[in-house]
Amino acid sequence: QVHVEESGGGLAQPGESLRLSCAVTGSSLSIATVGWYRPAPGKERDLVADIMSDGTTNYAPSVADRFTISKDNAKNTVYLQMDSLKPEDTAVYYCTYASDYDLDRYWGQGTQVTVSS
């Protein structure tokens, strides 16, 4: 049974930074892709960034120059470092775990990021 839990959200002013954490229990990051998603108005959840089992990363164009995704396999934790935050980054950020060995996908409950002056 895989459990995903996000943390690290909060209130930031434009230009400040936050670091989100995604802690996974019940399986290993070494056999999975882990991604961060956020809702868009009138849209499904959009991919913000993900990191594959081999360390390959992928970013949405709107965050590619400002956000960095990384992971610590030993701690079973994925991080999203968010720098130069903008008000349009305000959203609930969700973490998802997808095993390389099956089609199951697990979601966390989300963590709120608010960017405002």
Side-chain angles (χ1 to χ4, degrees):
Q1 185 82 310
V2 178
H3 180 73
V4 178
E5 185 169 1
E6 305 95 333
S7 62
L11 177 64
Q13 295 187 349
E16 294 184 341
S17 297
L18 289 172
R19 189 181 76 160
L20 307 184
S21 297
C22 175
V24 175
T25 59
S27 194
S28 174
L29 302 184
S30 65
I31 58 167
T33 295
V34 177
W36 289 94
Y37 289 75
R38 67 188 184 190
K43 301 288 187 178
E44 301 174 359
R45 294 175 183 177
D46 288 336
L47 176 69
V48 177
D50 64 15
I51 184 164
M52 298 180 182
S53 56
D54 67 357
T56 302
T57 58
N58 183 48
Y59 297 92
S62 61
V63 308
D65 294 333
R66 300 182 294 117
F67 292 7
T68 303
I69 189 169
S70 62
K71 65 176 180 175
D72 186 333
N73 286 351
K75 295 182 178 180
N76 258 22
T77 300
V78 173
Y79 305 98
L80 185 66
Q81 178 67 40
M82 304 186 296
D83 296 325
S84 301
L85 283 164
K86 302 176 180 179
E88 48 263 48
D89 296 319
T90 296
V92 178
Y93 284 72
Y94 297 89
C95 183
T96 186
Y97 174 98
S99 172
D100 294 341
Y101 292 100
D102 58 44
L103 298 179
D104 291 341
R105 182 179 290 270
Y106 302 90
W107 292 88
Q109 80 288 347
T111 185
Q112 175 71 50
V113 171
T114 302
V115 184
S116 176
S117 297

